[in-house]
Amino acid sequence: MRIDCKHVWQHISAYIDGEIDASQRVEIDRHLETCEICSAVLDSTRNVVVLIADNRVFELPAGFSDRLHARLDKEIELTET
Amino acid sequence: MTAYSSEFEADWIRRIVAGEKQLFHDLIRPCERSIYFLLMSLLRNEAEAEDAAQETVIKVFLNLKNFRGDSQFRTWVLSIARNEGLGRLRKASTRREDSLDAETDEQTGDYTPAILTSWREVPSEALERKELGSLLREAIEGLPVIYRNVVLLRDIEEMDVRETAAALDITEGAVKVRLHRARAMLQRTLAPRLKGFAPRRGGLFGWGK
């Protein structure tokens, strides 16, 4: 039985993470060969996942680490007295 | 992210508890980003997330002798961060924008993706354009909190399913379901808007100009 687009969409995340079993992967791959919509949905989802993982998207506030370690130093001093 | 072996970590923890307290600075450094962004995800306010991150780190320092080593150090640290964040949310419950309890994985939602017939990849270099970063941040900030937390730890901090489940105190199955839904929601929101950031077809010097 041929799988439909909805079935592919349900497994996209697991497919990207390589967490589906081999037989399902084969079915999905076969579907992707002929379905340009699912191919575009998969490619765009993967692209989004790659982009959000880039360190430039989420940066710590400037000086965050310095302030944190300065506060920590005070706390360490307190435990030593 | 620096990968520490647990033996190395355990040795440092022993030394810190025994009195070499300055070593704690280096022990906590690799966890700083994850602590902050988990708290940012929960509290949605930079100043408060930073304050909560400092409190978390101090709690970790003061309770280090209680760390049993039955989970990874970072997982333990993140569960302390999560408790700190949830405690603050409970105190300020009137300010809460989304419920942490009401949304369950049983709810059936419409996870139809944005339908496209072709996709031109947006390269990471396009992040040099500030609008792209803001677009991605806004989309993640717009997710319901239970999905935002998972996407943050799995896709942004690149933690594995097990570690994410332990840090958020949910099952591994729930991590997978929530991650799937989060990615589907992000694709639906972002795909139509990202198209403008793709390089122009065929041009060698195309994108961004």
Side-chain angles (χ1 to χ4, degrees), chain B residues 82-162:
Chain B
R82 184 172 51 89
N83 284 335
E84 178 70 27
L86 292 178
R88 285 173 186 239
L89 282 178
R90 272 182 217 111
K91 266 188 214 150
S93 54
T94 49
R95 239 192 39 201
R96 254 159 90 162
E97 287 175 31
D98 37 19
S99 164
L100 295 163
D101 311 311
E103 294 168 277
T104 68
D105 295 314
E106 279 84 53
Q107 77 179 114
T108 51
D110 173 17
Y111 296 104
T112 308
I115 305 293
L116 316 154
T117 49
S118 66
W119 182 256
R120 278 185 296 135
E121 188 171 300
V122 178
S124 295
E125 295 82 71
L127 281 164
E128 298 299 330
R129 291 165 68 180
K130 292 215 173 356
E131 322 87 272
L132 177 56
S134 329
L135 198 63
L136 297 168
R137 279 190 295 276
E138 274 168 32
I140 291 163
E141 282 156 17
L143 291 173
V145 66
I146 62 169
Y147 300 113
R148 196 165 61 230
N149 289 342
V150 170
V151 102
L152 215 119
L153 297 186
R154 281 284 287 124
D155 283 344
I156 296 165
E157 290 303 297
E158 297 177 331
M159 287 168 52
D160 63 27
V161 174
R162 223 175 96 193

Side-chain angles (χ1 to χ4, degrees), chain B residues 19-188:
Chain B
E20 289 181 68
K21 293 174 183 169
Q22 290 300 328
L23 275 181
F24 184 77
H25 287 286
D26 293 328
L27 178 73
I28 202 70
R29 232 177 271 278
C31 303
E32 282 173 24
R33 251 189 77 95
S34 307
I35 296 171
Y36 175 77
F37 288 116
L38 176 58
L39 285 162
M40 189 61 196
S41 172
L42 287 167
L43 301 168
R44 302 175 104 166
N45 174 293
E46 272 193 24
E48 199 174 357
E50 176 161 348
D51 189 59
Q54 292 184 1
E55 284 300 319
T56 300
V57 168
I58 287 166
K59 282 181 183 166
V60 170
F61 172 66
L62 295 174
N63 290 290
L64 196 60
K65 59 182 180 302
N66 300 323
F67 175 63
R68 293 279 164 255
D70 40 16
S71 63
Q72 285 187 43
F73 176 66
R74 182 165 67 158
T75 310
W76 182 67
V77 168
L78 288 179
S79 58
I80 293 174
R82 184 172 51 89
N83 284 335
E84 178 70 27
L86 292 178
R88 285 173 186 239
L89 282 178
R90 272 182 217 111
K91 266 188 214 150
S93 54
T94 49
R95 239 192 39 201
R96 254 159 90 162
E97 287 175 31
D98 37 19
S99 164
L100 295 163
D101 311 311
E103 294 168 277
T104 68
D105 295 314
E106 279 84 53
Q107 77 179 114
T108 51
D110 173 17
Y111 296 104
T112 308
I115 305 293
L116 316 154
T117 49
S118 66
W119 182 256
R120 278 185 296 135
E121 188 171 300
V122 178
S124 295
E125 295 82 71
L127 281 164
E128 298 299 330
R129 291 165 68 180
K130 292 215 173 356
E131 322 87 272
L132 177 56
S134 329
L135 198 63
L136 297 168
R137 279 190 295 276
E138 274 168 32
I140 291 163
E141 282 156 17
L143 291 173
V145 66
I146 62 169
Y147 300 113
R148 196 165 61 230
N149 289 342
V150 170
V151 102
L152 215 119
L153 297 186
R154 281 284 287 124
D155 283 344
I156 296 165
E157 290 303 297
E158 297 177 331
M159 287 168 52
D160 63 27
V161 174
R162 223 175 96 193
E163 205 187 350
T164 304
L168 296 176
D169 196 21
I170 56 178
T171 63
E172 293 183 21
V175 170
K176 290 178 188 173
V177 168
R178 290 178 192 187
L179 183 65
H180 173 67
R181 290 179 183 175
R183 286 171 172 173
M185 287 184 233
L186 291 174
Q187 188 271 355
R188 194 165 50 191

Side-chain angles (χ1 to χ4, degrees), chain A residues 4-35:
Chain A
D4 62 13
C5 296
K6 273 205 170 147
H7 179 91
V8 174
W9 300 342
Q10 274 167 10
H11 292 90
I12 274 187
S13 185
Y15 182 93
I16 289 175
D17 290 337
E19 285 177 352
I20 49 170
D21 58 55
S23 63
Q24 275 209 320
R25 176 169 289 271
V26 169
E27 285 199 41
I28 291 175
D29 284 340
R30 197 177 300 150
H31 179 97
L32 289 169
E33 276 170 23
T34 54
C35 179

